[in-house]
Amino acid sequence: MQKLDDLGVPEAEDRPSVNPQPLSTSSKKINPELTVSEIKHGVRPGDVYVRMRQSHSRFFRRVGPGHFVATPESDRPESPFERGYRAVKKILIGRPLETVAEAHERLSKFKALAVFGADPISSCAYATEEAMLVLIVAGSGALGISFFLALAVSLLLSMVAFSYRQTVYAYPHGGGSYNVSRENLGKIPGLVAAAALLIDYVLTVSVSIVAGADAMNSALIASGFADQIDAVNSTLPPNLNAKVLLSIFFIAIMTLGNLRGIRESGSIFALPTYLFVGSLMLTLAVGLFKAFTGTLDPAVPPPGIPASEPLTLWLILRAFSAGSVAMSGTEAISNGVPAFEKPESKNAATTLTLMATLLGIFFLGVSYLATHMGLVPGEETIISQVARAVWGTNIIYYIFQIATMGILIVAGNTAFADFPRLSSVLARDNFMPHQFSFRGDRLAFSIGIIALGLIASALVVVFAGDVTNLIHLYAVGVFLAFSMSDSGMVVHWWKTRGPNWKTSIVINGADALLTSSILVIVAITKFALGAWIVVILIPIIVSFFLFVHRHYSRVADQLRIVPGQLPPDKIDQLVVVPIDDVNYASLRAIAFARTISKDVVVLHISTNEERTAKIQQKMTTYAHDMKLVILDSPLRAFVRPLLAYVDAVHSQNPGAFVTIVLPEFITAHPWETFLHNRTATRLRSTFERHPNVAVLLVPYLLEK
Amino acid sequence: MQKLDDLGVPEAEDRPSVNPQPLSTSSKKINPELTVSEIKHGVRPGDVYVRMRQSHSRFFRRVGPGHFVATPESDRPESPFERGYRAVKKILIGRPLETVAEAHERLSKFKALAVFGADPISSCAYATEEAMLVLIVAGSGALGISFFLALAVSLLLSMVAFSYRQTVYAYPHGGGSYNVSRENLGKIPGLVAAAALLIDYVLTVSVSIVAGADAMNSALIASGFADQIDAVNSTLPPNLNAKVLLSIFFIAIMTLGNLRGIRESGSIFALPTYLFVGSLMLTLAVGLFKAFTGTLDPAVPPPGIPASEPLTLWLILRAFSAGSVAMSGTEAISNGVPAFEKPESKNAATTLTLMATLLGIFFLGVSYLATHMGLVPGEETIISQVARAVWGTNIIYYIFQIATMGILIVAGNTAFADFPRLSSVLARDNFMPHQFSFRGDRLAFSIGIIALGLIASALVVVFAGDVTNLIHLYAVGVFLAFSMSDSGMVVHWWKTRGPNWKTSIVINGADALLTSSILVIVAITKFALGAWIVVILIPIIVSFFLFVHRHYSRVADQLRIVPGQLPPDKIDQLVVVPIDDVNYASLRAIAFARTISKDVVVLHISTNEERTAKIQQKMTTYAHDMKLVILDSPLRAFVRPLLAYVDAVHSQNPGAFVTIVLPEFITAHPWETFLHNRTATRLRSTFERHPNVAVLLVPYLLEK
């Protein structure tokens, strides 16, 4: 039960007041044009408006009648707490950028390959290994097949890349699967593609970062620190082991980097990508030379593993599915066309070709060397074993490991560009909360970046930082998005029938068939291992999109202006002023109420006869023109009787607007509020869901 | 950085709206007298006001012009959640009582002895033992002194009781130490007494309840369950052992009981008090008979304990201090005079005499029997050992233990009557937060009761449920309050000089000397053991009282009406309507603004030129009479530029009142709010500390 507020504490005879906030009754109109020369009102010493004597010109630039531009100065924080927060944010995120700066945030081909290409290229760090981990049950001898699997994946990749080049040209404003599917196949297929992509972006972060942590782990094992790593992990919970903590640290850094803006993240991340590309090329060249000269030997002789299962077609298909994760991220370039420097499509297509070529060479090279030496995946990654065989455990090996870790982080970063971008497109299309389309201080889509960082970190924790477990969820989304996009492109060419439309249909159609067959293979072979989660998740996410869309549509329907049904120019209104004492604060509120309406009821909810009598007498003295209603509350409740009274008078004219004008004093120090009731807050929430009722507080600031 | 609200989501052409809340422009005045026959407005089907067609007569009774009484029906909760909460509360606390029921909540002498007398009477359950625990270091032989200490305490008690009888008659409206000291000695001595009393009330709860748990413990040990108790405790943290948990459970029950109201708690608790009084009388009678016939033997032969320290005066004084805790609670009756049935003073005085007599007899009797048998305190309490020696481990023994536990709980309950009452008096005098003076549903001072329950539970946990440790904090407050009260009474008699004033001065003066001497002894002997905490705490609490008082005085000063300095009848005002789109909700807000003021600025904070152009065009169509100001915000901030603009226009006339009228739509389902920004909430907190600025939301309820 709510108690009466003690607005009038403590009652006292009327003697000189300390500092009433000034209120004026001049007939002077305020000039909204802010002509600075007019601002010359002096105020009492100690008055909070002293700083207003300053010119306001530093806050606003007048560009025309009724048109101003706010200067960065107007966004200057007031409280020391907020100033501190801003300072920290400025260090972490950078100074806020103006909206007009947006156009400059574009990527050159060189940087774009680092940002978008890192994801597919880096997958050669784990794709070979994942395929081998499946084949190993058929014994060490079966591992040789992985080279041919790599060949198949590379062929597939070139096919997909070739097909996507067409998309990039056809959709220069961003031809992601969502756009292409939605435009050509319809709303639901578009949303299915979008859901698949969002899931894969999250997995890109988790998988890449964990693989990056694995690279570091391998380097430490190669240096003989295996026991120390075990010792550290034995003191940590399994789901928060050293690798998981390292991964979360990387994700946090990436989140901050991306909140700073896409161009800067391009700069930060170009170095590791090209370091990896360069060092892996060198490693492969030297490795192949040694292999052909017969001097290539593994650092640690691989153990011979006996077969525990026969080498079936099922096993080969599973291994292929595992290796096909290398394809992930091919989509990214077509979705990110607008982020390229002009000419966007051409640059994007070139980058796409370059990326596919590099990935094909790397994937094949690593697989060849691994199978050549008969390497077996273990605690140390395959790619680390290859590098060690080529270089030994020397400085070049360590540089290579660091580069591997670096590119994998950059790969995770790809998703930090894609996920927020796709989310913002979905938000603009009313399928995701609009907050995802707001640009932060640095013009990045902050909410999407933060959401991605949080979800990816959660995944890493749940899967205890294990690449193989995470991989099982991967690839379904990738191939779903591919096949949706290609099918969409077939419809697109059929509709538009531009030059060479028949060739285009054949290319995209063939790719559509190919990728959907592989989708089926991937989904079936990985289903029991974790792909079922994705299969369940996609319809859930699509339902969420539709729920959000329905909500926004309904809101729009209800807010829409109907030319014949405008609200009246002026509204009937009744003002209720609940008072618990007659004092300076309540007289201010009454004066305010008198100013805004001729229909004012001053209401006192009475729990104490003596006090009520005093109030009645004071009202006669100070506000005899006001209608005073006394409402006895024998159960000492305040809010509900007020609610009932307002409902009752309102029912006489439901079309009227009831404003509850509440006198409120604000204590000088926030901690003093615990000495008073917070009636206002309670009243607000009580009347929140009442139409045509508003609660207005007339604040009176206490100065000490 | 704050982002713009998406008030206009999603933009759409103007076509038929679904359900605008009706707004009327009739010139009909609302009648605040609620004449029921006038209520006949029909509203559209589906309109939330349908229930208003019902008569409101069941919510209000009209008792005169502008004077209503709210019926209990008006306090009826609306939401299922609140209905559930109320139902649970009704079961725990009881149905709410009307304020007029207050006068009936008085105590008869019989119940008053149970409520107020239980505290001192019950202390014989531990006071003897605490004195013996000090003496034991001088060996078993020294324990015989405890009888003489008991004699000294009993004499002291009769003296204090005799002195307090005078106070009860002199202060029929409650003559607690606070009242008497404040009135006669001044503000600070009064507050010191109050602080001392509040501390002692908390300790009364903790000590009594823990001693009650000890009684249960002793009965279990007597029944051979010592090992099981240890086993249970070994699974619990030391500060939450079984005794602590049991104590907290008791305190929770008592808190609920007292929230139900003092009379009912009197009824609940009379039984155990009288069961204890009766069974202890019987035990002492049989025990003394057996002792004189030489057939009284301890159940377990007490171990002979050798002296580790000599029997010094210091040791005897410490033992006396420990035994003097029996005096606590004597104060309670004089403080609680108004709770007695009429004639209050006479009934209180009689109860006081009765209580002191009973306590004297019991304390002496227990001490005599314990020293007669040479009992030694151990895991089992002394009083339990006495009872077992008299009865053996039979049913009467168990009844006696249950009665002991019962009266100790009732003793704790004394403080549940006193603490909230004293707090409410202090709150009414502006020394404690006013919330302590609000009466709950059952007319009890809810906040005080809950605060006491929480603090006492915390103490039990901190001291791990050990009586001896808690006792060290006790008694300083008791004797401080005694000596303040007696000194105050001396001044009182000197001032009033009524009949027999000289005798009265002698009585109170002698007692003042006596109790202050004992205060010095108690404070010195217990200082190092824990009394220092109380010595530090009292000035802190007094400072808090003064801080609160200063705050309330300042508030009163600032709220006081100065006849020549009234606020003007009407106030200059400017209304700012920030809009982010022109839709039905914003047109309502604009109409509202037009109704309340002629000086309205519609402000759009722009981050998107296209959108702004659309808004300008729509404003021309739908609200061409309004002044529209566009404020470009290149950093995409919303709140701060608005704040700066409002400050700027406000500075032209700081005495004007600025109302920020904000269109707001309320989603049909609360969970949908996450799809929208909560600009309103941010704006409110931003402008909270600005004088002469109010934020008003014009709510538009979405219906789906």
Side-chain angles (χ1 to χ4, degrees):
Chain A
M1 186 167 300
Q2 304 91 346
K3 294 294 130 13
L4 288 170
D5 197 359
D6 49 350
L7 280 172
V9 289
E11 290 176 88
E13 321 81 68
D14 301 337
R15 51 192 182 80
S17 172
V18 175
N19 185 17
Q21 263 108 53
L23 285 175
S24 61
T25 39
S26 67
S27 59
K28 183 178 177 311
K29 284 254 178 183
I30 283 172
N31 173 16
E33 293 288 357
L34 301 183
T35 319
V36 176
S37 62
E38 289 191 21
I39 302 169
K40 54 189 173 217
H41 281 262
V43 275
R44 293 163 42 158
D47 192 288
V48 287
Y49 282 111
V50 168
R51 72 175 181 79
M52 287 201 175
R53 287 191 210 139
Q54 301 170 22
S55 158
H56 286 81
S57 54
R58 65 195 173 105
F59 298 138
F60 304 102
R61 204 158 36 82
R62 190 161 179 274
V63 291
H67 195 173
F68 300 87
V69 176
T71 62
E73 185 71 3
S74 74
D75 195 34
R76 175 187 49 98
E78 281 189 332
S79 68
F81 174 78
E82 202 181 344
R83 267 200 299 278
Y85 167 74
R86 292 276 186 99
V88 171
K89 203 171 152 192
K90 200 170 156 190
I91 293 166
L92 292 176
I93 314 291
R95 64 169 186 82
L97 293 180
E98 297 201 354
T99 310
V100 288
E102 189 177 359
H104 303 295
E105 300 282 318
R106 295 295 189 92
L107 294 169
S108 66
K109 273 183 299 224
F110 181 80
K111 282 185 182 169
L113 184 64
V115 167
F116 294 121
D119 175 15
I121 292 172
S122 69
S123 55
C124 61
Y126 53 83
T128 307
E129 178 159 354
E130 291 303 324
M132 290 170 101
L133 275 170
V134 176
L135 291 171
I136 197 97
V137 295
S140 311
L143 293 180
I145 296 173
S146 57
F147 174 72
F148 298 98
L149 290 178
L151 205 61
V153 171
S154 300
L155 281 173
L156 181 61
L157 175 67
S158 58
M159 185 70 204
V160 169
F162 191 56
S163 167
Y164 260 89
R165 278 182 64 98
Q166 298 207 75
T167 314
V168 165
Y169 281 106
Y171 286 87
H173 299 300
S177 292
Y178 166 64
N179 269 4
V180 175
S181 313
R182 192 174 171 220
E183 198 168 294
N184 299 299
L185 303 176
K187 190 167 80 172
I188 301 290
L191 295 178
V192 169
L197 284 173
L198 289 183
I199 291 175
D200 265 358
Y201 293 151
V202 171
L203 285 165
T204 298
V205 176
S206 303
V207 169
S208 304
I209 295 302
V210 169
D214 269 341
M216 192 159 178
N217 205 38
S218 296
L220 288 171
I221 289 169
S223 319
F225 287 111
D227 292 345
Q228 285 83 342
I229 294 171
D230 287 347
V232 169
N233 281 335
S234 68
T235 65
L236 294 168
N239 278 41
L240 287 175
N241 60 44
K243 223 163 76 183
V244 171
L245 295 180
L246 186 68
S247 303
I248 290 175
F249 174 74
F250 284 148
I251 293 175
I253 296 284
M254 280 159 63
T255 305
L256 282 179
N258 280 280
L259 288 173
R260 288 190 79 98
I262 188 169
R263 182 138 119 144
E264 285 196 11
S265 52
S267 310
I268 295 166
F269 293 128
L271 179 73
T273 303
Y274 289 108
L275 188 64
F276 178 79
V277 168
S279 59
L280 183 53
M281 272 184 173
L282 201 64
T283 304
L284 292 181
V286 175
L288 289 173
F289 175 79
K290 282 192 175 177
F292 290 123
T293 55
T295 58
L296 187 68
D297 291 305
V300 183
I305 305 232
S308 59
E309 283 181 32
L311 186 66
T312 55
L313 179 65
W314 174 251
L315 206 64
I316 294 173
L317 285 179
R318 271 186 56 203
F320 174 77
S321 296
S324 70
V325 295
M327 308 276 300
S328 128
T330 310
E331 154 85 19
I333 291 180
S334 69
N335 209 357
V337 180
F340 280 80
E341 279 177 357
K342 287 176 187 176
E344 290 93 346
S345 294
K346 192 168 169 295
N347 285 336
T350 312
T351 309
L352 185 60
T353 311
L354 219 86
M355 180 274 288
T357 314
L358 282 174
L359 173 55
I361 294 170
F362 292 165
F363 195 29
L364 280 173
V366 172
S367 299
Y368 175 77
L369 291 180
T371 50
H372 173 83
M373 290 184 279
L375 297 181
V376 169
E379 276 294 291
E380 191 180 349
T381 61
I382 285 290
I383 197 166
S384 166
Q385 293 183 42
V386 169
R388 272 223 283 170
V390 173
W391 303 112
T393 314
N394 65 5
I395 182 77
I396 305 184
Y397 164 74
Y398 286 114
I399 290 173
F400 178 71
Q401 284 305 107
I402 289 167
T404 309
M405 194 178 75
I407 195 175
L408 281 162
I409 292 172
V410 178
N413 195 60
T414 312
F416 273 97
D418 296 329
F419 184 97
R421 187 183 293 117
L422 180 55
S423 303
S424 79
V425 171
L426 288 165
R428 241 169 271 164
D429 291 350
N430 299 317
F431 291 113
M432 269 179 76
H434 286 170
Q435 286 89 331
F436 281 88
S437 69
F438 297 159
R439 287 180 184 276
D441 283 357
R442 303 285 287 181
L443 298 170
F445 298 111
S446 316
I447 306 274
I449 291 170
I450 293 166
L452 176 61
L454 292 177
I455 303 171
S457 303
L459 263 189
V460 171
V461 172
V462 168
F463 287 88
D466 187 294
V467 172
T468 309
N469 286 337
L470 283 164
I471 285 282
H472 295 143
L473 278 71
Y474 218 5
V476 171
V478 180
F479 285 97
L480 185 53
F482 284 156
S483 51
M484 298 296 259
S485 172
D486 280 320
S487 314
M489 287 308 292
V490 171
V491 175
H492 172 82
W493 300 126
W494 180 259
K495 279 185 189 158
T496 55
R497 310 208 178 182
N500 303 320
W501 66 275
K502 287 181 185 164
T503 324
S504 299
I505 280 197
V506 170
I507 295 173
N508 286 125
D511 201 51
L513 275 177
L514 188 64
T515 50
S516 26
S517 321
I518 292 167
L519 170 64
V520 173
I521 295 172
V522 167
I524 292 174
T525 54
K526 293 186 164 192
F527 191 83
L529 296 166
W532 62 270
I533 299 174
V534 177
V535 171
I536 290 173
L537 218 51
I538 285 174
I540 292 176
I541 295 174
V542 170
S543 309
F544 172 74
F545 290 156
L546 293 173
F547 162 79
V548 169
H549 193 264
R550 197 186 58 173
H551 170 76
Y552 284 133
S553 307
R554 284 180 170 179
V555 170
D557 278 349
Q558 292 172 89
L559 291 180
R560 194 161 287 128
I561 297 171
V562 186
Q565 262 191 50
L566 295 177
D569 273 2
K570 292 199 178 186
I571 303 168
D572 278 2
Q573 68 159 353
L574 167 72
V575 174
V576 177
V577 188
I579 59 164
D580 194 45
D581 191 12
V582 179
N583 55 33
Y584 195 78
S586 47
L587 287 184
R588 275 167 60 94
I590 290 169
F592 180 84
R594 200 188 274 119
T595 309
I596 65 168
S597 174
K598 280 172 188 155
D599 210 355
V600 178
V601 176
V602 177
L603 180 67
H604 173 61
I605 294 178
S606 162
T607 54
N608 180 320
E609 278 181 36
E610 263 177 70
R611 193 182 178 91
T612 304
K614 234 183 230 173
I615 287 171
Q616 280 174 313
Q617 174 251 309
K618 278 193 181 181
M619 279 295 289
T620 315
T621 313
Y622 297 113
H624 51 86
D625 61 323
M626 290 282 114
K627 172 83 188 162
L628 174 69
V629 170
I630 304 292
L631 178 52
D632 290 342
S633 176
L635 294 177
R636 301 167 303 288
F638 175 69
V639 171
R640 294 239 163 258
L642 174 61
L643 180 63
Y645 183 82
V646 167
D647 274 357
V649 293
H650 205 181
S651 70
Q652 296 175 24
N653 183 0
F657 201 95
V658 178
T659 308
I660 298 171
V661 171
L662 202 67
E664 187 200 29
F665 55 82
I666 312 281
T667 53
H669 309 288
W671 60 84
E672 288 167 345
T673 54
F674 85 98
L675 296 172
H676 302 279
N677 266 352
R678 302 290 283 165
T679 313
T681 319
R682 278 211 312 274
L683 271 188
R684 272 176 181 158
S685 61
T686 306
F687 284 102
E688 192 166 54
R689 304 192 82 80
H690 280 237
N692 302 357
V693 176
V695 177
L696 182 140
L697 302 184
V698 178
Y700 181 60
L701 257 73
L702 302 182
E703 307 219 329
K704 54 180 189 178
Chain B
M1 187 166 299
Q2 305 91 347
K3 294 293 130 11
L4 287 171
D5 198 358
D6 48 350
L7 281 170
V9 289
E11 290 176 89
E13 324 78 71
D14 301 337
R15 50 191 182 81
S17 172
V18 175
N19 184 17
Q21 264 108 52
L23 285 176
S24 62
T25 39
S26 68
S27 60
K28 183 179 178 308
K29 283 255 179 182
I30 283 172
N31 172 15
E33 293 288 356
L34 301 183
T35 319
V36 175
S37 62
E38 290 190 20
I39 303 169
K40 53 188 175 220
H41 281 263
V43 273
R44 293 163 42 160
D47 192 289
V48 285
Y49 282 110
V50 168
R51 71 175 181 80
M52 287 201 175
R53 288 193 209 138
Q54 301 170 22
S55 158
H56 286 81
S57 54
R58 65 196 173 104
F59 297 139
F60 303 103
R61 205 157 35 81
R62 189 162 180 275
V63 291
H67 196 173
F68 300 86
V69 176
T71 62
E73 185 70 4
S74 74
D75 195 34
R76 175 187 49 97
E78 282 188 331
S79 68
F81 174 78
E82 202 181 343
R83 268 202 298 277
Y85 167 73
R86 292 274 186 100
V88 171
K89 202 171 153 191
K90 202 171 156 189
I91 292 165
L92 291 176
I93 314 291
R95 63 169 186 82
L97 293 179
E98 296 201 353
T99 310
V100 288
E102 188 176 359
H104 303 296
E105 298 283 317
R106 295 295 189 92
L107 295 169
S108 66
K109 272 182 301 223
F110 181 79
K111 281 185 181 168
L113 185 63
V115 167
F116 293 121
D119 175 14
I121 292 172
S122 69
S123 56
C124 62
Y126 54 83
T128 306
E129 179 158 355
E130 291 303 325
M132 289 171 100
L133 276 170
V134 176
L135 292 171
I136 198 98
V137 296
S140 310
L143 292 180
I145 296 172
S146 56
F147 175 71
F148 298 98
L149 290 179
L151 203 61
V153 172
S154 300
L155 279 173
L156 181 61
L157 174 68
S158 57
M159 187 70 204
V160 169
F162 190 56
S163 167
Y164 259 89
R165 278 182 64 98
Q166 298 207 77
T167 313
V168 165
Y169 280 106
Y171 286 87
H173 299 302
S177 293
Y178 166 63
N179 268 5
V180 175
S181 313
R182 191 174 171 220
E183 197 168 296
N184 299 299
L185 303 177
K187 189 166 80 172
I188 301 291
L191 294 179
V192 169
L197 284 173
L198 289 183
I199 291 174
D200 266 359
Y201 293 151
V202 171
L203 285 166
T204 297
V205 176
S206 303
V207 168
S208 304
I209 295 302
V210 168
D214 269 340
M216 193 159 178
N217 205 38
S218 297
L220 288 171
I221 289 170
S223 319
F225 286 111
D227 291 346
Q228 285 82 343
I229 295 171
D230 288 346
V232 169
N233 280 336
S234 69
T235 65
L236 295 167
N239 278 40
L240 286 175
N241 61 44
K243 223 163 75 183
V244 171
L245 295 179
L246 186 68
S247 304
I248 290 174
F249 174 74
F250 284 148
I251 293 174
I253 296 283
M254 280 159 62
T255 304
L256 282 180
N258 280 280
L259 288 173
R260 288 190 80 97
I262 189 168
R263 183 138 119 145
E264 286 196 10
S265 51
S267 311
I268 294 166
F269 292 129
L271 179 73
T273 304
Y274 288 108
L275 187 65
F276 178 77
V277 168
S279 59
L280 183 52
M281 272 183 173
L282 200 65
T283 305
L284 291 181
V286 174
L288 288 173
F289 176 78
K290 281 194 175 176
F292 289 124
T293 55
T295 57
L296 187 68
D297 290 306
V300 183
I305 305 235
S308 59
E309 283 183 31
L311 185 66
T312 54
L313 178 65
W314 174 251
L315 206 63
I316 294 172
L317 286 178
R318 273 186 56 203
F320 173 77
S321 296
S324 70
V325 295
M327 309 276 299
S328 128
T330 311
E331 155 85 19
I333 291 180
S334 68
N335 210 357
V337 180
F340 281 81
E341 280 177 355
K342 288 178 184 176
E344 290 93 346
S345 295
K346 193 166 169 296
N347 285 336
T350 312
T351 309
L352 186 61
T353 311
L354 217 86
M355 179 274 287
T357 312
L358 283 174
L359 173 56
I361 293 170
F362 292 165
F363 194 31
L364 281 172
V366 172
S367 298
Y368 176 77
L369 291 181
T371 51
H372 174 82
M373 289 184 279
L375 298 181
V376 169
E379 276 295 291
E380 190 180 350
T381 61
I382 284 290
I383 198 167
S384 168
Q385 293 184 41
V386 168
R388 271 224 284 171
V390 173
W391 305 112
T393 314
N394 66 6
I395 180 78
I396 306 185
Y397 164 74
Y398 286 114
I399 289 174
F400 178 71
Q401 285 305 107
I402 289 167
T404 308
M405 194 179 73
I407 195 174
L408 281 162
I409 291 172
V410 177
N413 195 59
T414 312
F416 272 97
D418 295 330
F419 183 97
R421 188 183 292 118
L422 179 56
S423 302
S424 79
V425 170
L426 287 166
R428 242 169 271 162
D429 292 349
N430 299 318
F431 291 112
M432 270 179 76
H434 285 170
Q435 287 89 330
F436 281 88
S437 70
F438 297 159
R439 288 179 183 277
D441 283 357
R442 302 287 286 181
L443 298 169
F445 298 110
S446 316
I447 307 275
I449 291 170
I450 293 165
L452 177 62
L454 292 177
I455 302 171
S457 303
L459 263 189
V460 171
V461 172
V462 169
F463 287 88
D466 186 293
V467 171
T468 308
N469 285 337
L470 283 165
I471 284 283
H472 294 144
L473 279 71
Y474 217 5
V476 171
V478 180
F479 285 97
L480 185 54
F482 284 157
S483 51
M484 298 297 258
S485 171
D486 279 320
S487 314
M489 287 309 291
V490 171
V491 175
H492 173 81
W493 299 125
W494 179 259
K495 277 185 189 159
T496 55
R497 308 208 178 183
N500 304 320
W501 66 275
K502 288 181 184 163
T503 323
S504 300
I505 280 197
V506 170
I507 295 173
N508 285 125
D511 202 50
L513 276 178
L514 188 63
T515 49
S516 26
S517 319
I518 292 167
L519 170 64
V520 173
I521 294 173
V522 167
I524 292 173
T525 54
K526 293 184 163 194
F527 191 83
L529 297 166
W532 62 270
I533 299 174
V534 176
V535 172
I536 290 173
L537 218 50
I538 286 176
I540 292 176
I541 295 174
V542 170
S543 308
F544 172 74
F545 289 158
L546 293 173
F547 163 78
V548 170
H549 193 265
R550 197 186 58 173
H551 171 75
Y552 283 134
S553 307
R554 284 180 169 180
V555 170
D557 279 349
Q558 291 173 90
L559 291 180
R560 195 161 287 129
I561 297 172
V562 186
Q565 263 191 46
L566 295 178
D569 273 2
K570 293 197 178 186
I571 304 169
D572 278 3
Q573 68 159 355
L574 166 72
V575 173
V576 177
V577 188
I579 59 164
D580 194 45
D581 191 11
V582 178
N583 55 33
Y584 195 79
S586 47
L587 287 184
R588 276 167 60 94
I590 290 168
F592 181 84
R594 200 189 273 121
T595 309
I596 65 167
S597 174
K598 282 172 188 153
D599 210 356
V600 178
V601 176
V602 177
L603 180 66
H604 173 62
I605 294 178
S606 162
T607 54
N608 180 321
E609 277 179 38
E610 264 178 70
R611 194 183 178 93
T612 304
K614 233 183 230 173
I615 286 171
Q616 280 174 312
Q617 173 251 311
K618 279 194 181 179
M619 278 296 289
T620 314
T621 314
Y622 298 114
H624 51 86
D625 60 323
M626 290 282 114
K627 171 84 187 161
L628 174 69
V629 171
I630 304 291
L631 178 53
D632 290 343
S633 176
L635 295 177
R636 301 167 304 288
F638 174 69
V639 171
R640 295 236 162 259
L642 174 60
L643 179 64
Y645 183 82
V646 167
D647 275 357
V649 293
H650 204 182
S651 70
Q652 296 175 24
N653 183 0
F657 202 96
V658 177
T659 308
I660 298 171
V661 172
L662 201 66
E664 187 198 30
F665 54 81
I666 312 281
T667 54
H669 309 289
W671 61 83
E672 288 167 346
T673 54
F674 86 97
L675 296 172
H676 302 279
N677 266 352
R678 302 289 283 163
T679 313
T681 318
R682 279 212 312 275
L683 271 189
R684 272 178 180 157
S685 61
T686 306
F687 284 103
E688 191 165 56
R689 304 192 81 81
H690 280 235
N692 301 358
V693 175
V695 177
L696 182 140
L697 304 184
V698 178
Y700 180 60
L701 257 71
L702 302 182
E703 307 220 328
K704 53 179 189 180

